[in-house]
Amino acid sequence: MASPTARRKLGIELKGLREAAGLNIDQAATAAGISDSHLSRMERGRVGVRPLTLRALLQSYGAGAEDTDRLAKIAADTTRRGDRGWWQPYAASISEKYASLIAFESEATSIKAFGSMIVPGLLQTEDYARALLQRGPVRLKTDEIATRVEVRTARQAILDQPDPPSLWIILDEGVVRRVVGGPEVMRRQLLHLVDIAARPDVDLQVIPYAVGAHAGTLGPLVILGFPEGDDVVYCETYAGDLYPEAVASYGDVFNRLAQDALSVDNSLEMLRAAAEGMT
């Protein structure tokens, strides 16, 4: 699998050089002999960049030898098969877009996630994750479930690294009330959320039923932030995992969800009470 983080880094650099050269998408694409839509996908990190295309772009941008050599090395990563991430041994068991999410998570400095029906994967206990997969939309064999639980659990290691990403989680109350895996599994999951929320770099809020309809009724989403900008949005659907291009609009959705949610303290009070109710 080509490196999604390399594609993203190269796209940011190419966009910066194009803008510094005073060229718009149409002008740059014409100079490189490609379509404007293809160049747009390159700048958003959606596709890799071939050497000839890169050379044509950099020439039209007036890039120097040092930038050309440096970007050529990054471009090689965007088209090379194989990824050095810890998830590579699981490549046959997970989709390429899910692997991209894991790669983006590993480099993100902030993660905002909204859970509309279930706890987001980064905060799931093993038993909760296993129960979800056993009853999920895709029928999986026992060994397939075990592998997916293992991957989901391994993803959570980023929360324990020396400089973890800031985490802002918003849950619909239905996530709290839906008993997944039985009362004891759910009780431990809720207490795990309480423990995670106690960390200084984590904010967790719950949107109560009383709010009624809210901005997140279309489903879950994850917004991954990076220090150089160009956030990435991940949405999970029945048809597949998508990276929408209207990142700003999803940021607005998340902010509206935060406004409808309970405060952090009141949210934790709800989680504790729900956990007690599971005994």
Side-chain angles (χ1 to χ4, degrees):
M1 185 190 75
S3 170
T5 51
R7 290 199 304 260
R8 180 181 156 278
K9 289 177 181 178
L10 182 61
I12 293 172
E13 296 255 19
L14 289 176
K15 181 179 179 181
L17 288 172
R18 175 179 60 77
E19 292 177 342
L23 300 176
N24 60 34
I25 286 279
D26 291 339
Q27 293 168 330
T30 299
I34 59 176
S35 68
D36 55 352
S37 62
H38 188 61
L39 178 55
S40 179
R41 290 196 297 273
M42 286 181 187
E43 292 187 353
R44 296 197 305 274
R46 300 289 295 276
V47 295
V49 183
R50 299 295 178 183
L52 288 177
T53 302
L54 178 67
R55 191 175 303 115
L57 286 172
L58 295 179
Q59 184 176 0
S60 66
Y61 298 161
E66 184 177 341
D67 281 338
T68 299
D69 290 343
R70 179 172 56 82
L71 294 179
K73 293 177 181 178
I74 299 177
D77 284 341
T78 72
T79 55
R80 187 190 67 239
R81 304 298 293 181
D83 198 301
R84 293 185 296 272
W86 61 261
W87 55 91
Q88 180 58 26
Y90 302 100
S93 304
I94 60 179
S95 71
E96 182 171 348
K97 290 181 178 177
Y98 184 39
S100 294
L101 169 65
I102 296 173
F104 286 132
E105 282 179 343
S106 69
E107 296 193 359
T109 54
S110 68
I111 299 175
K112 299 176 181 178
F114 168 65
S116 59
M117 296 186 67
I118 62 173
V119 174
L122 278 178
L123 303 183
Q124 292 175 8
T125 64
E126 289 188 25
D127 289 338
Y128 182 95
R130 186 176 297 104
L132 283 176
L133 292 167
Q134 289 170 342
R135 300 291 298 274
V138 179
R139 294 183 181 275
L140 300 171
K141 297 178 181 178
T142 301
D143 58 336
E144 293 175 323
I145 291 174
T147 297
R148 296 195 184 196
V149 170
E150 189 174 338
V151 172
R152 196 165 301 187
T153 302
R155 282 172 53 200
Q156 300 171 8
I158 64 171
L159 303 181
D160 296 318
Q161 61 190 17
D163 187 19
S166 63
L167 194 62
W168 188 357
I169 304 294
I170 300 178
L171 306 175
D172 185 272
E173 184 175 349
V175 177
V176 178
R177 304 301 179 191
R178 179 169 292 101
V179 181
V180 174
E184 181 57 25
V185 169
M186 194 63 199
R187 185 184 72 85
R188 291 198 299 268
Q189 174 63 74
L190 293 172
L191 292 178
H192 178 64
L193 292 177
V194 172
D195 290 341
I196 291 291
R199 301 186 182 193
D201 49 7
V202 176
D203 288 310
L204 191 153
Q205 294 177 268
V206 178
I207 300 177
Y209 284 144
V211 167
H214 54 68
T217 50
L218 289 179
L221 66 94
V222 178
I223 303 174
L224 300 115
F226 302 88
E228 64 273 31
D230 284 359
D231 294 351
V232 172
V233 175
Y234 175 89
C235 296
E236 189 171 355
T237 70
Y238 283 109
D241 307 318
L242 309 176
Y243 291 92
E245 295 158 14
V247 174
S249 66
Y250 281 85
D252 178 64
V253 166
F254 195 87
N255 290 335
R256 289 162 59 196
L257 290 170
Q259 292 172 2
D260 284 336
L262 297 172
S263 67
V264 171
D265 289 342
N266 288 340
S267 296
L268 291 182
E269 185 177 329
M270 175 188 286
L271 291 174
R272 292 190 186 97
E276 291 178 4
M278 295 292 168
T279 57

